[in-house]
């Protein structure tokens, strides 16, 4: 059941991203997606395999569900969030969008416990919230950095 759920979520967020009006350029979206993907993969490797703070299932289908969430769900949700924040016309709306995205991602991560994909050993929800907020901030500041580079390149030409 976990595989079907995460597969559905990955396809849903992919369709939402494909059909939404993007406020960011292709390069900005791709750069943020790849950066969050790299961080997500390395983070999960360190937390799950090296430090053994969370135990993953050994069953192939639930493990694939974990990989789908880590590699498609989390980065795409953050990219969609940044596009929505860019379209927002107030700081309050931007913060609300970021909070809803954080809550959604934390729920997706914790559904892994329900579907017996992961079992926390020395882990709690606060660490997940801090991780997701950090991903949002890294995505936001990397986006600002890319936009600044693009602007400085336009000025120098």
């Amino acid at each position: 059941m976990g595989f079907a759920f995460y597969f559905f979520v990955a396809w849903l967020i992919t369709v939402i991203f494909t059909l939404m009006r993007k406020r960011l350029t292709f390069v900005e979206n791709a750069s943020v997606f790849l950066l969050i993907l790299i961080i997500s993969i390395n983070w999960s490797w360190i937390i799950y395999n090296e430090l053994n703070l969370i135990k993953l299932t050994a069953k192939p289908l639930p493990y694939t569900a974990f990989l789908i969430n880590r590699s498609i769900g989390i980065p795409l949700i953050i990219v969609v969030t940044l596009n929505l924040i860019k379209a927002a016309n107030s700081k309050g709306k931007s913060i609300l969008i970021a909070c809803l995205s954080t809550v959604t991602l934390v729920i997706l991560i914790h559904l892994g416990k329900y579907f017996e994909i992961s079992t926390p050993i020395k882990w709690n929800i606060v660490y997940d919230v801090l991780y997701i907020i950090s991903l949002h901030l890294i995505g936001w500041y990397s986006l600002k950095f890319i936009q600044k580079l693009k602007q400085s390149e336009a000025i120098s030409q």
Side-chain angles (χ1 to χ4, degrees), residues 69-131:
N69 187 46
R70 179 197 71 185
S71 302
I72 298 171
I74 292 173
L76 262 183
I77 289 173
I78 291 186
V79 170
V80 167
T81 301
L82 291 177
N83 276 284
L84 292 173
I85 287 173
K86 180 80 172 181
N89 51 8
S90 69
K91 284 192 178 209
K93 198 172 185 180
S94 298
I95 292 171
L96 178 66
I97 292 168
C99 288
L100 289 174
S101 172
T102 301
V103 168
T104 303
L105 286 169
V106 169
I107 289 171
L108 285 175
I109 290 171
H110 279 276
L111 279 174
K113 287 192 292 188
Y114 176 76
F115 292 123
E116 298 176 356
I117 295 170
S118 61
T119 306
I121 298 171
K122 297 177 184 173
W123 199 255
N124 63 40
I125 193 169
V126 175
Y127 300 142
D128 286 326
V129 171
L130 291 174
Y131 167 62

Side-chain angles (χ1 to χ4, degrees), residues 28 86 143-157:
E28 293 168 342
K86 180 80 172 181
L143 178 62
K144 290 300 175 188
F145 178 73
I146 292 165
Q147 290 171 343
K148 192 178 219 181
L149 281 177
K150 190 168 66 171
Q151 192 176 37
S152 69
E153 183 179 314
I155 291 172
S156 67
Q157 289 180 352

Side-chain angles (χ1 to χ4, degrees), residues 2-145:
F3 175 78
F5 177 77
Y6 283 111
F7 189 79
F8 171 74
V9 169
W11 272 106
L12 181 65
I13 195 65
T14 302
V15 168
I16 289 171
F17 176 72
T18 304
L19 297 178
M20 75 182 292
R21 184 170 180 208
K22 293 166 197 66
R23 302 293 181 163
L24 305 175
T25 65
F26 175 77
V27 172
E28 293 168 342
N29 281 319
S31 298
V32 170
F33 177 83
L34 291 174
L35 178 65
I36 298 301
L37 177 64
I38 290 168
I39 292 169
S40 182
I41 289 171
N42 286 310
W43 173 267
S44 65
W45 178 261
I46 292 169
I47 298 301
Y48 292 86
N49 296 337
E50 296 298 322
L51 298 177
N52 296 320
L53 297 175
I54 301 173
K55 182 183 172 209
L56 283 174
T57 183
K59 298 174 188 172
L61 214 50
Y63 186 75
T64 305
F66 162 76
L67 293 177
I68 287 172
N69 187 46
R70 179 197 71 185
S71 302
I72 298 171
I74 292 173
L76 262 183
I77 289 173
I78 291 186
V79 170
V80 167
T81 301
L82 291 177
N83 276 284
L84 292 173
I85 287 173
K86 180 80 172 181
N89 51 8
S90 69
K91 284 192 178 209
K93 198 172 185 180
S94 298
I95 292 171
L96 178 66
I97 292 168
C99 288
L100 289 174
S101 172
T102 301
V103 168
T104 303
L105 286 169
V106 169
I107 289 171
L108 285 175
I109 290 171
H110 279 276
L111 279 174
K113 287 192 292 188
Y114 176 76
F115 292 123
E116 298 176 356
I117 295 170
S118 61
T119 306
I121 298 171
K122 297 177 184 173
W123 199 255
N124 63 40
I125 193 169
V126 175
Y127 300 142
D128 286 326
V129 171
L130 291 174
Y131 167 62
I132 297 300
I133 290 172
S134 299
L135 284 180
H136 280 86
L137 291 174
I138 290 168
W140 175 257
Y141 284 114
S142 67
L143 178 62
K144 290 300 175 188
F145 178 73

